């Protein structure tokens, strides 16, 4: 039986406006575009980022309940502070109560590793039935025999995930790899991820949770996708990649990124947030909502000397990488 999508409990704009107009007025309005442009430096890029962000919010009812300022700040954390792309799937915007945070995807983590120049290659992917041949008796490294017939491979069930890296020539091209079964990954997520519960996931797969409740779980976290869903597979890939980076060699800045991501998964709240990049973006109050809906531009936005102060990390990091205490620039 078809289900009706429930409306979020806290309406962002006054009731009665069309559903699409509510969100688009917030995220594509003149004030939001102008404030994001001040952080990014280009109006076209700002509009493109906000359009992608709007799509993400429209597809996630929990994000619709978050303070729009925190949603946009989370996107600027990914786009500006780390120079990643939401449209390319290099990070996610995840809701936690009324606050949104930026969380790396496995693609974003791979990109940051390669950008550090410490790695020549890095990657993670699924393992199909029959490909894992055991562990080397001396090194305990996984022994894999990959199926080269891609059509036949796609028909086989996923039994686990494999991650590897090869360091750059500067570090003698050292190679490391790790293999975890799917059940090991789910158990790890159950213990360490605030967004996932294994018992709930098993009930979902068994059909005990249906309708809107099931859809809400799937929209709330990619962990709750079917085992073959791209979002679920990406979370599994990221889990084994992080375990490899933590158990092997990794430069200081990559270790810090992994630690921050772990903390975010455990609590839902980041341990390090960028400065309030758009501190004048109106909070979710009735008066502020009316201001967002207004076509009149605030005077303080028009006057450069009264414009919101941009954070050092967003603009000056490329010019002074030493201040960020990392040997590479995320803007490379």
């Amino acid at each position: 039986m078809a289900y009706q999508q429930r409306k979020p409990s806290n309406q962002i704009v006054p009731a009665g406006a069309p559903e699409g107009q509510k969100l688009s007025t917030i995220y594509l309005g003149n004030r939001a575009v102008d404030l994001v442009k001040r952080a990014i430096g280009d109006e076209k890029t700002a509009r493109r980022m906000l359009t992608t962000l709007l799509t993400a919010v429209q597809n996630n009812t929990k994000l619709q309940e978050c303070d729009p300022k925190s949603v946009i700040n989370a996107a600027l954390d990914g786009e500006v502070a780390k120079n990643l792309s939401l449209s390319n799937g290099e990070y996610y915007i995840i809701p936690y109560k009324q606050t949104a945070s930026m969380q790396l995807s496995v693609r974003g983590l791979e990109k940051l590793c390669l950008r550090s120049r410490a790695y020549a290659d890095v990657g993670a992917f699924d393992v199909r039935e029959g490909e894992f041949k055991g562990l080397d008796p001396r090194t305990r490294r996984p022994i894999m025999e990959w199926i080269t017939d891609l059509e036949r491979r796609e028909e086989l069930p996923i039994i686990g995930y494999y991650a590897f890296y090869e360091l750059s020539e500067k570090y003698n091209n050292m190679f490391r790899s790790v293999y975890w079964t799917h059940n090991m990954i789910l158990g790890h997520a159950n213990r360490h991820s605030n967004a996932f519960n294994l018992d709930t996931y098993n009930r979902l797969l068994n059909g005990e949770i249906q309708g809107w409740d099931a859809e809400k779980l799937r929209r709330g976290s990619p962990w709750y996708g079917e085992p073959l869903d791209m979002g679920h597979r990406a979370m599994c890939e990221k889990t084994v990649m992080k375990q490899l980076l933590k158990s092997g060699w990794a430069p200081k800045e990559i270790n810090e990124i992994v630690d921050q991501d772990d903390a975010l998964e455990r609590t839902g709240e980041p341990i390090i947030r960028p400065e309030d990049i758009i501190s004048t973006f109106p909070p979710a109050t009735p008066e502020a909502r009316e201001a967002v809906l207004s076509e009149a531009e605030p005077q303080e936005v028009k006057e450069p000397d009264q414009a919101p102060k941009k954070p050092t990390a967003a603009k000056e990091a490329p010019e002074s990488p030493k201040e960020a205490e990392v040997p590479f620039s995320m803007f490379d």
Side-chain angles (χ1 to χ4, degrees):
M1 183 173 63
Y3 62 87
Q4 276 193 324
Q5 180 172 328
R6 299 175 185 172
K7 306 298 183 186
S9 58
N10 57 330
Q11 298 295 325
I12 296 177
V13 298
E19 183 66 23
Q21 182 65 24
K22 295 177 181 179
L23 294 173
S24 62
T25 302
I26 291 289
Y27 289 99
L28 297 179
N30 292 335
R31 179 175 292 187
V33 171
D34 189 70
L35 291 170
V36 172
K37 184 179 70 174
R38 292 176 182 273
I40 292 181
D42 176 70
E43 181 173 342
K44 183 178 180 180
T45 304
R47 288 187 179 278
R48 184 167 61 246
M49 188 206 85
L50 286 169
T51 299
T52 302
L53 185 59
L54 173 62
T55 301
V57 174
Q58 288 173 330
N59 291 330
N60 191 321
T61 53
K62 288 186 177 180
L63 277 180
Q64 294 170 23
E65 299 173 4
C66 291
D67 184 344
K69 182 177 68 175
S70 75
V71 176
I72 297 179
N73 270 338
L76 288 173
D77 186 8
E79 301 283 338
V80 178
K82 292 182 174 64
N83 195 24
L84 298 174
S85 169
L86 180 63
S87 60
N88 291 339
E90 294 171 352
Y91 69 92
Y92 309 111
I93 304 293
I94 62 169
Y96 179 72
K97 297 181 180 179
Q98 275 70 55
T99 302
S101 302
M102 189 282 295
Q103 185 174 43
L104 288 173
S105 70
V106 64
R107 303 298 168 236
L109 185 57
E110 290 173 358
K111 185 173 182 177
L112 293 179
C113 285
L114 293 173
R115 194 185 293 163
S116 73
R117 302 184 182 90
Y119 300 88
D121 198 7
V122 60
F125 38 85
D126 61 71
V127 176
R128 302 292 172 137
E129 187 177 70
E131 291 183 322
F132 175 64
K133 299 301 181 181
L135 300 175
D136 183 284
R138 184 175 65 88
T139 65
R140 305 293 292 172
R141 295 179 188 173
I143 301 173
M144 315 300 294
E145 186 176 310
W146 305 113
I147 297 172
T148 57
D149 185 335
L150 297 183
E151 291 185 359
R152 184 170 73 89
R153 188 179 190 276
E154 283 297 309
E155 297 174 355
L156 297 173
I158 294 174
I159 61 169
Y161 286 82
Y162 173 90
F164 76 94
Y165 68 68
E166 180 184 359
L167 296 181
S168 62
E169 186 176 356
K170 178 180 178 181
Y171 301 100
N172 299 318
N173 299 108
M174 183 175 68
F175 183 87
R176 290 288 185 272
S177 61
V178 67
Y179 167 75
W180 275 21
T181 67
H182 190 214
N183 286 336
M184 289 171 62
I185 293 171
L186 294 180
H188 183 272
N190 185 59
R191 292 189 298 273
H192 300 288
S193 176
N194 179 72
F196 180 75
N197 179 273
L198 183 56
D199 180 64
T200 300
Y201 184 58
N202 287 330
R203 290 170 55 216
L204 178 66
L205 293 182
N206 292 333
E208 299 174 34
I209 302 176
Q210 297 182 353
W212 169 247
D213 291 331
E215 186 66 16
K216 188 164 57 173
L217 284 172
R218 295 189 184 100
R219 293 190 182 194
S221 170
W223 275 118
Y224 287 107
E226 295 286 335
L228 290 177
D229 287 353
M230 294 302 296
H232 181 86
R233 291 161 64 177
M235 297 302 290
C236 293
E237 292 171 359
K238 178 183 169 185
T239 299
V240 293
M241 174 62 69
K242 290 201 302 181
Q243 296 312 304
L244 175 63
L245 293 173
K246 289 193 293 186
S247 62
W249 181 91
K252 177 183 176 182
E253 67 275 9
I254 297 299
N255 280 325
E256 290 175 349
I257 288 169
V258 171
D259 288 344
Q260 292 171 22
D261 194 83
D262 281 346
L264 177 58
E265 285 194 2
R266 285 194 304 271
T267 66
E269 298 177 329
I271 58 175
I272 297 179
R273 286 194 64 86
E275 292 181 30
D276 199 2
I277 298 175
I278 48 173
S279 58
T280 62
F281 193 86
T285 63
E287 296 79 11
R289 294 168 191 159
E290 292 296 332
V292 172
L293 290 173
S294 174
E295 290 297 325
E297 289 292 329
Q299 183 68 20
E300 63 269 24
V301 174
K302 290 294 186 180
E303 296 293 336
D305 58 342
Q306 297 180 20
K309 184 178 179 181
K310 290 180 285 186
T312 301
K315 181 178 179 181
E316 297 182 2
E319 302 173 1
S320 306
K322 292 183 179 179
E323 294 181 7
E325 296 183 353
V326 295
F328 69 101
S329 170
M330 290 185 176
F331 290 80
D332 288 346

